[in-house]
Amino acid sequence: MKRVLGSIRRADERYRMIEDGDKVCIGVSGGKDSLLLMEAMKLYQRFSYTKFDVCAVMLDLGLKKQNVAAVEAYAEKIGMDFTCVYTDIGKVVFEYREERSPCALCAKLRRGALNTAAVERGCNKVALGHNREDVLETLFMSMMYEGRINTFAPVTHLSRRNVTIIRPLIFLPEKYALSLARQKELPVLPPHCDIAGSTKREEARQLLQHLAKITPDIEQKLLHALIHTETYGLWDRMKLPEGLETVQTPDGGRVIRREEDSQTVCTQSGGGCDIL
């Protein structure tokens, strides 16, 4: 558990995830990561200099009947305020909408339901259990299926709901989560979705595992590229050389020009690549 707490502390200190007076709602899926996060955040609350409250919410999607008694007992054991919220997300996605690619809509509805549950409980932050491999798999999915370099941020503020999403486990390798889940015999629930294991995320996971066989420390190197924005710029805007500036044109395009004489050195039309 020391490795988990160390990962949370590193993420918290680097990205200022938790502040005094926060009330954090942990989103519990029933998987190893969210269950581990639930116990780790309870311990972190005890040892952290920052004073904050924490609770946990699990969503029942209405897909299959699940027995959450073991999770409830686990939450009670570690002293966590736990609630299971019942929804009809499964019916909306698979029956009403009959989505061919249901993951995106399901994820959107789950995020909305979880944020609503958090606000109703007076929480200003929602903690999700994404680990290091989840970050990299999302990066690969974005490149392979969207044609852009992107992944979720450590901290995201949702202005409409006035809720901030935090991901305290982004520095934790998945193998440590797996090992600790077995060691502690966490009450991990089986997947409740029929398409689990055959999604685009699973393809990205297999690709990452293949690359790890070629380059054993590939995960750490990829995460390094995301963290150090001053070098790679994936979580920051691209910086122009000194003496240049970018200006948007009336047609939606952009030009790069010299600051000293406003002389254009590069032009891109509205349909071109956005250099910012």
Side-chain angles (χ1 to χ4, degrees), residues 40-93:
M41 285 292 285
K42 196 64 182 177
L43 290 173
Y44 191 66
Q45 181 190 33
R46 183 186 307 170
F47 298 118
S48 175
Y49 291 111
T50 304
K51 303 304 178 184
F52 65 96
D53 293 324
V54 63
C55 67
V57 169
M58 182 175 182
L59 298 178
D60 186 312
L61 306 184
L63 289 170
K64 294 180 180 178
K65 188 175 182 180
Q66 282 189 305
N67 186 356
V68 299
V71 177
E72 291 176 339
Y74 172 65
E76 183 178 359
K77 176 183 176 182
I78 63 176
M80 176 65 71
D81 178 10
F82 175 85
T83 307
C84 184
V85 177
Y86 295 89
T87 74
D88 58 355
I89 292 176
K91 291 183 178 180
V92 172
V93 174

Side-chain angles (χ1 to χ4, degrees), residues 137-179:
E137 289 162 12
T138 302
L139 174 66
F140 282 4
M141 290 169 61
S142 178
M143 290 190 291
M144 291 189 296
Y145 305 119
E146 297 178 349
R148 63 186 183 126
I149 299 177
N150 185 55
T151 188
F152 45 68
V155 177
T156 304
H157 181 68
L158 306 178
S159 57
R160 289 186 178 181
R161 304 306 303 272
N162 197 26
V163 169
T164 299
I165 308 300
I166 62 174
R167 295 176 169 90
L169 297 183
I170 55 172
F171 292 126
L172 181 69
E174 186 174 25
K175 63 181 180 181
Y176 288 102
L178 281 168
S179 176

Side-chain angles (χ1 to χ4, degrees), residues 193-210:
C193 180
D194 291 334
I195 65 172
S198 60
T199 62
K200 296 300 182 183
R201 178 169 293 277
E202 180 62 29
E203 295 176 2
R205 179 177 293 113
Q206 292 175 4
L207 175 58
L208 183 60
Q209 291 173 350
H210 174 71

Side-chain angles (χ1 to χ4, degrees), residues 2 27 35 72 98 111 116 123 129 153 155 170 174 187 192 200-201 215 220 222 228 273-274:
K2 288 184 179 180
L35 293 175
E72 291 176 339
E98 297 182 350
R111 287 194 299 267
T116 298
C123 298
V155 177
I170 55 172
E174 186 174 25
H192 55 278
K200 296 300 182 183
R201 178 169 293 277
T215 308
Q220 188 57 37
L222 289 172
H228 292 83
C273 178
D274 185 359

